[in-house]
Amino acid sequence: MDTQTLNFNKVHFVTSAPDIRHLPNDGGVEIAFAGRSNAGKSSALNTLTKHKNLARTSKTPGRTQLINLFELEPGKRLVDLPGYGYAQVPLEMKLKWQKSLAEYLQCRESLKGLVILMDIRHPLKDTDMNMLEWSSHRDLPVMLLLTKADKLSPGPRNNQVIKVRQAVANLGSQIQVAAFSSTTNIGLDKLEQTLTEWYLSGDDQQLADADQHEPAGE
């Protein structure tokens, strides 16, 4: 099983919620995708699941306004979080998105992994670093996905990956960094394998927690 990956093509939409109070019960394993509004988050989700319109893409950044849940199989969910950073929307709406995002990241116990997407040509903006620092404090596994990697030739692409790895090294060992392209599928295998490991690890942790809370036999 270690060499296999989940069938991400089997995914189906569950719900869209303005905040965590409108989400389903906080159980199972969730892996969330987060990123600046122009980082290519929707395209990455569509490429991962092989569904062209699973997550809506738009020429105008900032269209993901709700927490969107998709289920791969019972107890295993993908989460598309509202984009942060640049978005051509009123300030009041932007603040509402930020509050919704923060609540999910801080309070959702089923969150077991975070994929943070950033344009490989413009990585590690202040908002990206805030996300990484928060994830480090929560001891949450992170895959830092450098999107639009096809825009760079192999040499500069590899150099950028190395630079980002060095820049986040002090935030802990749970941060992976990989180049990714929704256009040419660079890094897709790595993304699939990492998410599979996180889902299976989350299952194992839930079983361990359940055993720990079972009453001792007489």
Side-chain angles (χ1 to χ4, degrees):
M1 187 68 181
D2 291 342
T3 59
Q4 297 179 354
T5 58
L6 295 174
N7 185 357
F8 292 95
N9 190 36
K10 291 171 58 179
V11 70
H12 65 273
F13 173 76
V14 176
T15 189
S16 292
D19 52 55
I20 61 174
R21 286 167 289 282
H22 292 83
L23 291 175
N25 290 338
D26 194 359
V29 180
E30 292 179 355
I31 295 175
F33 279 57
R36 290 173 58 80
S37 300
N38 55 350
K41 178 164 55 69
S42 296
S43 295
L45 279 164
N46 292 341
T47 298
L48 172 67
T49 60
K50 298 178 177 63
H51 284 251
K52 291 183 179 179
N53 298 308
L54 182 79
R56 294 183 179 179
T57 58
S58 172
K59 292 182 180 179
T60 303
R63 291 304 188 192
T64 304
Q65 303 176 19
L66 302 170
I67 300 172
N68 298 306
L69 260 65
F70 307 92
E71 189 169 68
L72 295 167
E73 56 185 61
K76 294 181 175 63
R77 295 181 294 275
L78 283 169
V79 184
D80 184 13
L81 295 173
Y84 55 82
Y86 169 82
Q88 291 181 326
V89 297
L91 178 60
E92 182 179 355
M93 182 178 293
K94 189 180 295 187
L95 293 175
K96 184 177 180 181
W97 294 355
Q98 291 172 352
K99 180 180 178 182
S100 173
L101 177 64
E103 282 183 337
Y104 175 83
L105 294 172
Q106 293 170 10
C107 303
R108 191 71 172 171
E109 293 185 3
S110 52
L111 176 63
K112 303 300 182 184
L114 184 63
V115 180
I116 301 177
L117 300 96
M118 56 189 72
D119 189 322
I120 193 169
R121 300 163 298 177
H122 314 288
L124 301 178
K125 300 292 186 181
D126 289 344
T127 45
D128 298 322
M129 293 305 298
N130 290 340
M131 290 287 289
L132 287 166
E133 289 168 2
W134 173 87
S135 302
S136 177
H137 291 154
R138 186 171 161 176
D139 199 28
L140 192 70
V142 172
M143 186 170 196
L144 213 169
L145 215 57
L146 303 181
T147 61
K148 307 179 185 181
D150 57 288
K151 303 293 186 182
L152 298 180
S153 57
R157 181 193 310 149
N158 293 335
N159 288 338
Q160 193 75 317
V161 170
I162 292 171
K163 288 180 181 178
V164 172
R165 282 177 181 158
Q166 292 172 341
V168 302
N170 64 328
L171 293 175
S173 60
Q174 294 214 76
I175 301 176
Q176 302 181 44
V177 181
F180 184 84
S181 170
S182 297
T183 303
T184 63
N185 290 345
I186 294 170
L188 178 58
D189 289 347
K190 176 65 175 175
L191 177 61
E192 291 175 339
Q193 189 59 47
T194 297
L195 266 56
T196 297
E197 292 170 0
W198 286 356
Y199 279 117
L200 298 181
S201 177
D203 284 345
D204 292 343
Q205 183 61 51
Q206 285 188 320
L207 290 173
D209 291 343
D211 291 342
Q212 189 174 20
H213 287 94
E214 282 187 1
E218 296 183 359

